[in-house]
Amino acid sequence: MNRAAVCMLLAGALVLGCAPGPGQTDAGWGALRNGDVVLFRHAEAPGIGDPPGMRLDDCSTQRNLDDTGRKQARRIGERFRERGIAVSTVLTSEWCRARDTATLAFPAIKARVDSAFNSLFSDRSREPEQSERARALLLAWRGPGVLVVTTHQANISALTGVAPASGEGVVMRSRQGALAVVGTLPTDGQ
């Protein structure tokens, strides 16, 4: 491989936050520690985007978790409890599917809604400002325990370069004033 190709690969890795590749998902559970952040894409909610006329104050107008998604959300919390990983704070988007994921996964923790994690899917013009607000919140986290955020694929991709599946988590850590991806948490509980 020539020098230009190596430089392009390295630049791509920096842009993507050195996102983990296939087979590296176990590294997320093994690397997860006090003070880390996990960005979860909400659990399974069939469809793409939201229906026309969607309102944040009315879940019946939104795309919501189905039975599979509700089971998946509960399993997220079970995985943390089985591993003895302390989650002290949960933040969520205002969208019902993200709030429901947080509530089902971590019923003992009162999830706080934060608009910095609202869906960017239908309005990418907000991405730079909203991502910067989200990044500042995540960089400020030091614990105790783990901060869990339930949000949306577009938001996670904007922050990490990773496009997670429904219910998949991306483990991040603050390193020298920047967020680094240290692994992913698979959706199947393994």
Side-chain angles (χ1 to χ4, degrees), residues 33 47 68 114 136 152 169 176-177 182-183:
R33 65 181 190 212
T68 300
D114 195 306
H152 308 268
Q176 300 174 341
V182 296

mmCIF file of all heavy atoms in Angstrom, residues 33 47 68 114 136 152 169 176-177 182-183:
data_model
loop_
_atom_site.group_PDB
_atom_site.id
_atom_site.type_symbol
_atom_site.label_atom_id
_atom_site.label_comp_id
_atom_site.label_asym_id
_atom_site.label_seq_id
_atom_site.Cartn_x
_atom_site.Cartn_y
_atom_site.Cartn_z
ATOM 1 N N ARG A 33 -16.352 0.930 31.491
ATOM 2 C CA ARG A 33 -15.924 1.191 32.866
ATOM 3 C C ARG A 33 -16.570 2.469 33.405
ATOM 4 O O ARG A 33 -17.189 3.231 32.656
ATOM 5 C CB ARG A 33 -14.411 1.281 32.951
ATOM 6 C CG ARG A 33 -13.816 2.440 32.197
ATOM 7 C CD ARG A 33 -12.304 2.430 32.307
ATOM 8 N NE ARG A 33 -11.773 3.681 31.785
ATOM 9 C CZ ARG A 33 -10.625 3.794 31.183
ATOM 10 N NH1 ARG A 33 -9.858 2.739 31.029
ATOM 11 N NH2 ARG A 33 -10.220 4.957 30.751
ATOM 12 N N GLY A 47 -40.278 0.677 10.661
ATOM 13 C CA GLY A 47 -40.459 1.825 9.778
ATOM 14 C C GLY A 47 -39.225 2.695 9.732
ATOM 15 O O GLY A 47 -38.185 2.374 10.308
ATOM 16 N N THR A 68 -41.167 -6.700 19.793
ATOM 17 C CA THR A 68 -39.740 -7.036 19.709
ATOM 18 C C THR A 68 -38.903 -5.923 20.326
ATOM 19 O O THR A 68 -37.962 -6.177 21.076
ATOM 20 C CB THR A 68 -39.322 -7.273 18.248
ATOM 21 O OG1 THR A 68 -40.089 -8.363 17.732
ATOM 22 C CG2 THR A 68 -37.841 -7.570 18.122
ATOM 23 N N ASP A 114 -33.473 15.256 27.105
ATOM 24 C CA ASP A 114 -32.583 16.345 26.694
ATOM 25 C C ASP A 114 -32.668 16.492 25.185
ATOM 26 O O ASP A 114 -32.352 15.558 24.445
ATOM 27 C CB ASP A 114 -31.146 16.060 27.133
ATOM 28 C CG ASP A 114 -30.293 17.309 27.057
ATOM 29 O OD1 ASP A 114 -30.255 17.946 25.979
ATOM 30 O OD2 ASP A 114 -29.663 17.660 28.074
ATOM 31 N N ALA A 136 -20.718 18.279 24.050
ATOM 32 C CA ALA A 136 -20.319 18.971 25.286
ATOM 33 C C ALA A 136 -20.868 18.249 26.516
ATOM 34 O O ALA A 136 -20.153 18.099 27.516
ATOM 35 C CB ALA A 136 -20.794 20.424 25.244
ATOM 36 N N HIS A 152 -31.039 8.305 18.563
ATOM 37 C CA HIS A 152 -31.390 7.857 17.224
ATOM 38 C C HIS A 152 -30.131 7.609 16.393
ATOM 39 O O HIS A 152 -29.077 8.178 16.662
ATOM 40 C CB HIS A 152 -32.271 8.915 16.549
ATOM 41 C CG HIS A 152 -33.437 9.304 17.396
ATOM 42 N ND1 HIS A 152 -34.654 8.688 17.314
ATOM 43 C CD2 HIS A 152 -33.556 10.235 18.396
ATOM 44 C CE1 HIS A 152 -35.484 9.217 18.199
ATOM 45 N NE2 HIS A 152 -34.834 10.156 18.866
ATOM 46 N N GLY A 169 -25.588 -0.405 21.203
ATOM 47 C CA GLY A 169 -24.934 0.680 21.920
ATOM 48 C C GLY A 169 -23.527 0.926 21.422
ATOM 49 O O GLY A 169 -22.846 0.015 20.972
ATOM 50 N N GLN A 176 -8.413 13.121 26.270
ATOM 51 C CA GLN A 176 -7.739 14.365 25.926
ATOM 52 C C GLN A 176 -8.680 15.362 25.261
ATOM 53 O O GLN A 176 -8.381 15.951 24.236
ATOM 54 C CB GLN A 176 -6.527 14.084 25.032
ATOM 55 C CG GLN A 176 -5.511 13.185 25.697
ATOM 56 C CD GLN A 176 -4.384 12.790 24.772
ATOM 57 O OE1 GLN A 176 -4.495 12.879 23.558
ATOM 58 N NE2 GLN A 176 -3.280 12.356 25.360
ATOM 59 N N GLY A 177 -9.860 15.537 25.866
ATOM 60 C CA GLY A 177 -10.806 16.522 25.386
ATOM 61 C C GLY A 177 -11.607 16.124 24.165
ATOM 62 O O GLY A 177 -12.287 16.954 23.575
ATOM 63 N N VAL A 182 -14.818 3.169 21.947
ATOM 64 C CA VAL A 182 -13.998 2.068 22.456
ATOM 65 C C VAL A 182 -14.628 0.707 22.192
ATOM 66 O O VAL A 182 -14.020 -0.319 22.471
ATOM 67 C CB VAL A 182 -13.642 2.232 23.960
ATOM 68 C CG1 VAL A 182 -12.785 3.463 24.165
ATOM 69 C CG2 VAL A 182 -14.883 2.283 24.819
ATOM 70 N N GLY A 183 -15.840 0.683 21.654
ATOM 71 C CA GLY A 183 -16.480 -0.582 21.313
ATOM 72 C C GLY A 183 -17.973 -0.398 21.103
ATOM 73 O O GLY A 183 -18.496 0.705 21.235
#
